[in-house]
Amino acid sequence: MRIAKEDEVKLIGRWPSPFVARAMIALNLKGVEYEYLPDDLFNKSELLLKSNPVYKLVPVLIHGDKPVCESRIIVEYIDQVWASSGPSILPADPYDRAIARFWAAYVDDKIAPPSRVLAWSKDEKSIAEAREKLLAAVLQLEEAFVKCSKGKSFFGGDTINLVDITLGSFLSWLKVFEIITGINFLDKTKTPRLVEWAECFRSVDAAKEVLPEAEKLVEFRKFAQAAGRVTG
Ligand SMILES: N[C@@H](CCC(=O)N[C@@H](CS)C(=O)NCC(=O)O)C(=O)O
């Protein structure tokens, strides 16, 4: 069946981006067909500049002719538009929903910034600080997981929710940081529940096909650094 123009879904992205992975996981969970439009962040397309004129960042979801920007907002948009397909990404209960949004925001405040430093900085002092910040944030998230999951596999309980997607999108990069620093940011002794969670998250079909292999990211990082093509 042909999809009407106003229902067409496109996603502007780039494969190494954890933020783009979030949108892809949500689309997969809901079984939404979409066209993937890879962008070159050193030569941004007219479509990207027009669709996200404020930040000029990927991902951008284009639904019909309407652009939606910012990965967590995109995930929530997908959950609401395709509410009747697949599992709910946002909890139904207003309090649980507020808590999920709190921890998803925490991931962007406390995991994303040190991850950027570890991925791209060459400054030893900044790298050392980022390592500590990332370790502290992961410990805090272990505690949050114990409370939110209530003994189940995911932050969302039996199915993945906004927090699972927001944090899970960083799993491949966390592996990269382990490879390059020798530190296990998810650690069987210090964060045993998150180690189990990561295993479960990676095995969810919607995420499995999206999360890049860490080795491929390590190569990408090497190439990008050598070529001076370093971005956020
Ligand atoms: N807060 C944004 C972050 C998105 C972001 O940082 N995207 C990066 C790719 S990982 C980007 O587009 N970088 C291009 C640039 O910095 O010019 C979101 O959640 O969508």
Side-chain angles (χ1 to χ4, degrees):
M1 203 175 60
R2 256 195 81 69
I3 299 176
K5 252 276 149 294
E6 66 271 21
D7 294 331
E8 275 177 8
V9 178
K10 294 180 179 149
L11 181 69
I12 311 178
R14 70 195 277 261
W15 71 266
S17 167
F19 304 102
V20 173
R22 294 172 179 176
M24 288 177 156
I25 293 169
L27 289 166
N28 286 349
L29 264 186
K30 298 287 185 176
V32 179
E33 272 184 43
Y34 66 97
E35 185 186 352
Y36 176 60
L37 305 174
D39 217 86
D40 178 352
L41 298 186
F42 290 89
N43 184 17
K44 293 179 181 174
S45 68
E46 277 306 308
L47 184 64
L48 173 58
L49 298 175
K50 185 178 90 181
S51 309
N52 190 355
V54 177
Y55 293 123
K56 305 176 179 69
L57 300 175
V58 293
V60 178
L61 182 88
I62 305 178
H63 188 197
D65 58 1
K66 299 186 299 256
V68 184
C69 304
E70 285 295 305
S71 59
R72 283 189 286 128
I73 295 173
I74 293 172
V75 170
E76 292 208 17
Y77 178 82
I78 293 168
D79 193 37
Q80 284 167 29
V81 172
W82 291 277
S84 55
S85 347
S88 290
I89 297 172
L90 262 287
D93 176 76
Y95 185 72
D96 292 344
R97 190 174 278 226
I99 297 296
R101 285 186 173 133
F102 175 88
W103 288 114
Y106 180 87
V107 171
D108 277 353
D109 284 346
K110 304 290 185 189
I111 298 282
S115 294
R116 274 204 177 93
V117 175
L118 289 176
W120 303 118
S121 176
K122 288 184 174 162
D123 176 61
E124 284 305 322
K125 188 164 167 272
S126 311
I127 293 172
E129 279 169 14
R131 255 186 344 236
E132 292 315 305
K133 283 186 183 160
L134 193 53
L135 281 168
V138 166
L139 275 185
Q140 184 74 69
L141 284 164
E142 170 82 3
E143 218 175 276
F145 181 81
V146 171
K147 281 197 192 134
C148 296
S149 64
K150 303 188 177 90
K152 307 261 176 73
S153 302
F154 299 108
F155 281 92
D158 288 318
T159 54
I160 66 180
N161 77 1
L162 180 69
V163 191
D164 293 287
I165 295 175
T166 308
L167 180 60
S169 66
F170 276 101
L171 279 177
S172 300
W173 277 104
L174 286 181
K175 190 94 204 131
V176 171
F177 305 150
E178 280 179 26
I179 296 170
I180 62 181
T181 65
I183 296 170
N184 289 341
F185 289 92
L186 296 186
D187 174 79
K188 276 204 172 101
T189 320
K190 292 191 181 132
T191 60
R193 299 300 311 282
L194 281 185
V195 169
E196 286 167 12
W197 162 82
E199 195 68 22
C200 293
F201 186 82
R202 276 200 206 90
S203 65
V204 170
D205 284 339
K208 210 185 326 193
E209 55 200 59
V210 169
L211 295 178
E213 281 172 24
E215 290 70 20
K216 210 174 145 203
L217 284 175
V218 171
E219 281 309 305
F220 162 77
R221 178 176 171 271
K222 233 190 268 170
F223 164 80
Q225 280 187 329
R229 286 171 62 98
V230 166
T231 172

Short mmCIF file of all heavy atoms in Angstrom, two decimals, residues 14 16-20 22 41 44 55-59 69-72 74 108 116 231-232, ligand 1:
data_model
loop_
_atom_site.label_atom_id
_atom_site.label_comp_id
_atom_site.label_asym_id
_atom_site.label_seq_id
_atom_site.Cartn_x
_atom_site.Cartn_y
_atom_site.Cartn_z
N ARG A 14 23.16 10.41 11.11
CA ARG A 14 24.50 9.92 10.77
C ARG A 14 24.72 8.70 11.66
O ARG A 14 24.28 8.69 12.82
CB ARG A 14 25.56 11.00 10.97
CG ARG A 14 25.83 11.35 12.40
CD ARG A 14 26.59 12.65 12.51
NE ARG A 14 28.02 12.45 12.35
CZ ARG A 14 28.89 12.37 13.35
NH1 ARG A 14 28.47 12.41 14.61
NH2 ARG A 14 30.17 12.24 13.14
N PRO A 16 27.14 7.14 13.43
CA PRO A 16 27.77 7.01 14.75
C PRO A 16 27.03 7.72 15.88
O PRO A 16 27.41 7.60 17.04
CB PRO A 16 29.15 7.67 14.56
CG PRO A 16 29.28 7.94 13.10
CD PRO A 16 27.91 8.06 12.57
N SER A 17 25.97 8.45 15.55
CA SER A 17 25.34 9.32 16.56
C SER A 17 24.40 8.56 17.50
O SER A 17 23.41 7.97 17.06
CB SER A 17 24.55 10.42 15.85
OG SER A 17 23.70 11.07 16.78
N PRO A 18 24.65 8.63 18.81
CA PRO A 18 23.74 7.99 19.76
C PRO A 18 22.36 8.66 19.73
O PRO A 18 21.34 8.01 19.98
CB PRO A 18 24.41 8.19 21.12
CG PRO A 18 25.41 9.27 20.93
CD PRO A 18 25.80 9.28 19.48
N PHE A 19 22.34 9.96 19.40
CA PHE A 19 21.07 10.69 19.40
C PHE A 19 20.19 10.21 18.24
O PHE A 19 18.97 10.08 18.38
CB PHE A 19 21.34 12.20 19.32
CG PHE A 19 22.23 12.68 20.43
CD1 PHE A 19 23.57 12.94 20.20
CD2 PHE A 19 21.73 12.83 21.71
CE1 PHE A 19 24.41 13.35 21.23
CE2 PHE A 19 22.55 13.24 22.75
CZ PHE A 19 23.90 13.50 22.51
N VAL A 20 20.83 9.94 17.12
CA VAL A 20 20.08 9.43 15.97
C VAL A 20 19.57 8.02 16.28
O VAL A 20 18.45 7.65 15.94
CB VAL A 20 20.99 9.43 14.70
CG1 VAL A 20 20.29 8.74 13.54
CG2 VAL A 20 21.37 10.86 14.34
N ARG A 22 18.51 6.87 18.96
CA ARG A 22 17.27 6.93 19.77
C ARG A 22 16.04 6.96 18.88
O ARG A 22 15.07 6.25 19.11
CB ARG A 22 17.28 8.19 20.64
CG ARG A 22 18.35 8.18 21.68
CD ARG A 22 18.42 9.53 22.37
NE ARG A 22 19.45 9.51 23.39
CZ ARG A 22 19.79 10.56 24.12
NH1 ARG A 22 19.18 11.71 23.92
NH2 ARG A 22 20.72 10.45 25.03
N LEU A 41 28.05 15.99 8.21
CA LEU A 41 28.02 17.11 9.15
C LEU A 41 29.09 18.16 8.88
O LEU A 41 29.10 19.22 9.50
CB LEU A 41 28.10 16.58 10.58
CG LEU A 41 26.91 15.68 10.95
CD1 LEU A 41 26.95 15.29 12.40
CD2 LEU A 41 25.58 16.34 10.62
N LYS A 44 26.72 20.22 5.59
CA LYS A 44 25.33 19.91 5.94
C LYS A 44 24.39 20.18 4.76
O LYS A 44 24.57 21.16 4.04
CB LYS A 44 24.92 20.72 7.17
CG LYS A 44 25.67 20.27 8.41
CD LYS A 44 25.31 21.07 9.66
CE LYS A 44 26.15 20.55 10.83
NZ LYS A 44 26.01 21.31 12.05
N TYR A 55 19.42 24.65 15.71
CA TYR A 55 20.62 23.94 16.19
C TYR A 55 21.47 23.34 15.06
O TYR A 55 22.65 23.04 15.27
CB TYR A 55 20.23 22.82 17.16
CG TYR A 55 19.65 23.33 18.46
CD1 TYR A 55 18.38 22.94 18.87
CD2 TYR A 55 20.37 24.20 19.27
CE1 TYR A 55 17.85 23.38 20.07
CE2 TYR A 55 19.84 24.67 20.46
CZ TYR A 55 18.57 24.25 20.86
OH TYR A 55 18.05 24.71 22.04
N LYS A 56 20.81 23.06 13.91
CA LYS A 56 21.52 22.46 12.76
C LYS A 56 22.14 21.11 13.11
O LYS A 56 23.24 20.77 12.67
CB LYS A 56 22.59 23.42 12.22
CG LYS A 56 22.05 24.79 11.85
CD LYS A 56 23.15 25.71 11.41
CE LYS A 56 22.64 27.08 11.01
NZ LYS A 56 22.11 27.89 12.13
N LEU A 57 21.48 20.35 14.00
CA LEU A 57 22.00 19.06 14.45
C LEU A 57 21.10 17.93 13.96
O LEU A 57 19.91 18.15 13.69
CB LEU A 57 22.06 19.01 15.98
CG LEU A 57 22.93 20.04 16.70
CD1 LEU A 57 22.75 19.91 18.21
CD2 LEU A 57 24.39 19.89 16.32
N VAL A 58 21.68 16.73 13.88
CA VAL A 58 20.87 15.53 13.66
C VAL A 58 20.68 14.88 15.03
O VAL A 58 21.50 15.07 15.92
CB VAL A 58 21.58 14.55 12.69
CG1 VAL A 58 21.64 15.14 11.31
CG2 VAL A 58 22.96 14.11 13.18
N PRO A 59 19.57 14.14 15.22
CA PRO A 59 18.57 13.76 14.24
C PRO A 59 17.51 14.82 14.01
O PRO A 59 17.23 15.63 14.90
CB PRO A 59 17.92 12.55 14.91
CG PRO A 59 17.99 12.86 16.38
CD PRO A 59 19.30 13.56 16.55
N CYS A 69 12.70 18.21 15.90
CA CYS A 69 14.12 18.20 16.26
C CYS A 69 14.30 17.80 17.72
O CYS A 69 13.36 17.90 18.51
CB CYS A 69 14.73 19.59 16.07
SG CYS A 69 14.52 20.20 14.41
N GLU A 70 15.52 17.41 18.06
CA GLU A 70 15.94 17.02 19.41
C GLU A 70 15.47 15.59 19.71
O GLU A 70 14.26 15.31 19.77
CB GLU A 70 15.41 17.99 20.48
CG GLU A 70 16.16 19.30 20.50
CD GLU A 70 17.62 19.14 20.91
OE1 GLU A 70 17.92 18.57 21.98
OE2 GLU A 70 18.49 19.56 20.12
N SER A 71 16.46 14.72 19.96
CA SER A 71 16.18 13.28 20.01
C SER A 71 15.12 12.87 21.03
O SER A 71 14.25 12.05 20.72
CB SER A 71 17.48 12.51 20.26
OG SER A 71 18.07 12.91 21.47
N ARG A 72 15.16 13.43 22.24
CA ARG A 72 14.16 12.98 23.24
C ARG A 72 12.76 13.44 22.85
O ARG A 72 11.77 12.76 23.09
CB ARG A 72 14.54 13.47 24.63
CG ARG A 72 15.67 12.65 25.25
CD ARG A 72 15.89 13.00 26.70
NE ARG A 72 16.55 14.27 26.85
CZ ARG A 72 16.13 15.27 27.62
NH1 ARG A 72 15.03 15.16 28.33
NH2 ARG A 72 16.82 16.38 27.71
N ILE A 74 11.83 13.85 19.75
CA ILE A 74 11.46 12.97 18.63
C ILE A 74 10.91 11.65 19.16
O ILE A 74 9.87 11.16 18.69
CB ILE A 74 12.69 12.73 17.70
CG1 ILE A 74 13.10 14.03 17.00
CG2 ILE A 74 12.38 11.63 16.68
CD1 ILE A 74 14.39 13.95 16.22
N ASP A 108 21.19 13.03 29.51
CA ASP A 108 21.72 14.06 28.61
C ASP A 108 22.57 15.10 29.34
O ASP A 108 23.50 15.65 28.78
CB ASP A 108 20.56 14.73 27.84
CG ASP A 108 20.19 13.88 26.63
OD1 ASP A 108 20.90 12.90 26.34
OD2 ASP A 108 19.17 14.18 25.98
N ARG A 116 31.23 13.17 25.13
CA ARG A 116 31.78 13.99 24.03
C ARG A 116 33.27 14.20 24.24
O ARG A 116 34.07 14.08 23.31
CB ARG A 116 31.11 15.36 24.01
CG ARG A 116 29.85 15.37 23.24
CD ARG A 116 29.48 16.75 22.72
NE ARG A 116 28.28 16.59 21.93
CZ ARG A 116 27.05 16.73 22.42
NH1 ARG A 116 26.87 17.10 23.66
NH2 ARG A 116 25.99 16.51 21.66
N THR A 231 33.46 16.21 15.62
CA THR A 231 32.20 16.93 15.83
C THR A 231 31.54 16.47 17.12
O THR A 231 31.99 15.50 17.72
CB THR A 231 31.26 16.71 14.63
OG1 THR A 231 30.00 17.27 14.96
CG2 THR A 231 31.07 15.25 14.33
N GLY A 232 30.48 17.15 17.51
CA GLY A 232 29.79 16.78 18.74
C GLY A 232 28.81 15.66 18.54
O GLY A 232 28.55 15.26 17.44
N1 LIG B 1 20.55 17.53 21.94
C1 LIG B 1 20.62 16.99 20.61
C2 LIG B 1 22.06 16.55 20.34
C3 LIG B 1 22.24 16.11 18.90
C4 LIG B 1 23.70 16.13 18.47
O1 LIG B 1 24.61 16.50 19.23
N2 LIG B 1 23.94 15.73 17.22
C5 LIG B 1 25.29 15.73 16.68
C6 LIG B 1 25.62 14.34 16.12
S1 LIG B 1 25.95 13.21 17.44
C7 LIG B 1 25.38 16.71 15.49
O2 LIG B 1 24.44 16.86 14.73
N3 LIG B 1 26.54 17.39 15.35
C8 LIG B 1 26.76 18.30 14.28
C9 LIG B 1 27.43 19.54 14.71
O3 LIG B 1 27.88 19.62 15.87
O4 LIG B 1 27.52 20.47 13.89
C10 LIG B 1 19.63 15.83 20.48
O5 LIG B 1 19.31 15.21 21.52
O6 LIG B 1 19.14 15.57 19.36
#
